[in-house]
Amino acid sequence: MDQSNLDLARARRETPGCEKVMHFNNAGAALMPQTVLDAVVSHLQLEAAIGGYEAKNRELEATEHIYDAAARLINCAPDEIAFIENATRAWDMAFYAIPFKSGDRILTAKSEYSSNYISYLQVAQKTGAVVEVVPDDEHGQLSVAALRNMIDDRVKLISITHVPTQGGLVNPAAEIGKVAREANILYLLDACQSVGQMPMDVKEIGCDILSTTGRKYLRGPRGTGFLYVRRELIEQLEPPFLDLHAATWVADDRYEIRKDARRFENWEMYYAGKIGLGVAIDYALNWSLQPIWTRVHMLAEQLRSKLIALGFVTIHDLGVVRCGIVTFKVNGVTADEVQRRLAEMGINVTVSLEESSRLDLGSRQLPELVRASVHYYNTEEEVERFCDAVARIFREAEEH
Ligand SMILES: Cc1ncc(COP(=O)(O)O)c(C=O)c1O
């Protein structure tokens, strides 16, 4: 039963895409609400009409709003936020600012996202730091007890993904934060797929750095994201790249880096997207994150149980708490084929491949999975239709 009390009819009315597709690819890029679309398009129109610099100056307040909005969303201060073009670059700007040296240990999780892991490997090769994977517990989430046992003076960073790309797992971010705080170790959280889906509070989680994207559960425009860095840490982290926005050239041989989190930004940015992301965050806050999470969680559990009931689908989501991402296999049909056939029926999903998270999908021998991800504007009726469509794909494959 839906206990979110969310006005579903209004949510759908305000989402033009709901009339066109059955969108179960919200972890890819969710459907933008009309208000976000209007904000982006009207700024682009203003740029075309009066010039890009002039449009920015005229809409200065709207372009600055993202800092306040993001701060409210994750419970921090606006000067701890940087607007960055995507979650990967946001994460990179913080990670590559950490001064690793030989012997430093980086602790991460088995479910880690490939881009992050590639960066650990690169830094390890360059500096002699070592990457170590904290084992999972019996539920498939990072084992907090194992993490605690691995802590020593050499651990420089705990860096994990909250909701991994390849499934419904929600890693125990706040329990991990507790270990990090007790040991006074830097804690970097990739929250790319959790922000917008569930309530997020950096103080409760206890992370020092958090990165996220605009286009996924926040329902913002593509090409947007943001980074949070705890204020006390900002000046200790020298960004890997500097420019005249991140720093000021104060003498012929000297520059000064900004003191706020915008030191991780660069000068040119997607202003229409920046405005749009601020509007998207306001929109999410207006619904409130707890009802969004209640509904997403309920719909995903419903989808899992109905898919299992079909008898020829296996679900592969790990963890104690499972989120809006549902990964599965259909007996005898490849994930690509399921995606292709669903697309023909107007249903959007994606495929998760082993290369997006080798340690996890590799060890579970799951080279590919269908990934269906729901948002609060999806309906129970869509869940039914989705399962009917999967059943049809299975039957058709059997007949061939
Ligand atoms: C866990 C995780 N982190 C980071 C990213 C990268 O986000 P972006 O494409 O905004 O850089 C993704 C994208 O799928 C992701 O799933």
Side-chain angles (χ1 to χ4, degrees):
M1 221 200 41
D2 182 9
Q3 294 177 327
S4 68
N5 285 326
L6 215 134
D7 183 348
L8 181 61
R10 194 190 118 205
R12 292 182 68 78
R13 218 170 37 242
E14 293 175 353
T15 306
C18 284
E19 282 183 9
K20 308 234 172 346
V21 286
M22 196 197 287
H23 196 61
F24 279 38
N25 187 17
N26 293 287
L31 297 174
M32 277 186 280
Q34 186 70 49
T35 174
V36 173
L37 180 63
D38 290 346
V40 174
V41 170
S42 77
H43 192 76
L44 290 176
Q45 280 167 340
L46 190 63
E47 287 185 348
I50 69 166
Y53 286 30
E54 294 73 14
K56 181 220 159 186
N57 291 338
R58 191 181 287 183
E59 295 296 319
L60 200 55
E61 211 174 296
T63 65
E64 287 292 295
H65 180 64
I66 171 72
Y67 303 100
D68 292 327
R72 258 186 76 204
L73 180 71
I74 62 167
N75 188 26
C76 66
D79 65 349
E80 296 175 306
I81 298 290
F83 171 75
I84 299 183
E85 60 264 38
N86 56 54
T88 306
R89 270 300 164 271
W91 188 96
D92 287 342
M93 288 303 285
F95 174 72
Y96 284 99
I98 301 169
F100 290 102
K101 59 179 187 332
S102 182
D104 283 346
R105 298 168 72 206
I106 301 170
L107 303 187
T108 189
K110 203 165 159 194
S111 55
E112 191 59 346
Y113 185 56
S114 62
S115 294
N116 302 350
Y117 210 91
I118 289 166
S119 301
Y120 304 144
L121 292 175
Q122 186 193 27
V123 158
Q125 278 166 20
K126 282 192 170 166
T127 66
V130 288
V131 192
E132 293 175 48
V133 177
V134 181
D136 285 344
D137 67 13
E138 69 274 24
H139 307 286
Q141 60 185 18
L142 177 137
S143 162
V144 178
L147 171 68
R148 211 177 275 284
N149 283 334
M150 290 171 79
I151 299 295
D152 67 15
D153 290 348
R154 283 175 46 225
V155 178
K156 177 88 174 184
L157 176 70
I158 298 170
S159 178
I160 64 139
T161 295
H162 195 190
V163 168
T165 188
Q166 70 282 7
L169 170 68
V170 184
N171 265 316
E175 286 89 331
I176 294 167
K178 206 156 165 277
V179 177
R181 291 284 62 80
E182 281 166 16
N184 199 20
I185 293 168
L186 208 56
Y187 176 22
L188 164 53
L189 185 67
D190 176 342
C192 185
Q193 304 211 116
S194 47
V195 172
Q197 180 175 187
M198 59 189 72
M200 295 287 288
D201 180 327
V202 289
K203 305 226 164 51
E204 262 172 35
I205 291 171
C207 59
D208 299 293
I209 305 165
L210 175 149
S211 54
T212 196
T213 203
R215 72 177 186 282
K216 296 190 184 221
Y217 276 91
L218 278 175
R219 308 183 62 193
R222 296 197 67 172
T224 65
F226 71 82
L227 174 70
Y228 153 79
V229 182
R230 187 165 57 80
R231 186 179 289 121
E232 295 70 28
L233 194 62
I234 295 173
E235 289 193 55
Q236 295 169 37
L237 292 180
E238 187 174 324
F241 309 119
L242 291 174
D243 72 352
L244 77 179
H245 170 82
T248 307
W249 194 8
V250 292
D252 286 2
D253 60 352
R254 210 160 49 78
Y255 60 84
E256 277 171 12
I257 309 177
R258 287 182 72 121
K259 295 193 185 313
D260 59 14
R262 296 194 206 189
R263 62 169 48 196
F264 300 103
E265 296 182 346
N266 59 89
W267 189 85
E268 173 57 351
M269 51 183 77
Y270 171 32
Y271 280 99
K274 192 178 188 187
I275 294 173
L277 182 55
V279 172
I281 294 173
D282 285 350
Y283 189 75
L285 285 169
N286 239 310
W287 288 106
S288 185
L289 272 297
Q290 187 54 55
I292 289 176
W293 174 224
T294 301
R295 185 165 169 81
V296 167
H297 183 263
M298 181 276 300
L299 281 175
E301 284 302 334
Q302 206 171 84
L303 179 56
R304 288 186 191 99
S305 57
K306 285 184 189 298
L307 283 172
I308 290 170
L310 293 174
F312 46 79
V313 173
T314 46
I315 299 289
H316 295 278
D317 301 314
L318 303 172
V320 178
V321 178
R322 295 183 300 183
C323 70
I325 302 174
V326 178
T327 48
F328 62 95
K329 283 175 73 148
V330 181
N331 290 353
V333 193
T334 65
D336 263 356
E337 182 63 6
V338 175
Q339 181 191 25
R340 193 186 65 75
R341 289 287 295 117
L342 286 172
E344 283 173 2
M345 297 183 231
I347 303 172
N348 297 337
V349 294
T350 48
V351 172
S352 282
L353 296 174
E354 185 177 330
E355 60 240 39
S356 65
S357 188
R358 305 182 56 85
L359 298 183
D360 175 28
L361 294 183
S363 66
R364 290 196 281 152
Q365 288 162 358
L366 295 169
E368 53 158 42
L369 287 170
V370 185
R371 185 182 76 168
S373 44
V374 292
H375 215 326
Y376 60 92
Y377 52 73
N378 291 122
T379 67
E380 287 87 334
E381 193 234 328
E382 284 183 322
V383 168
E384 294 281 352
R385 276 168 48 212
F386 185 90
C387 295
D388 290 346
V390 170
R392 191 168 139 196
I393 292 166
F394 174 75
R395 276 197 311 272
E396 284 172 1
E398 280 228 304
E399 281 158 18
H400 273 92

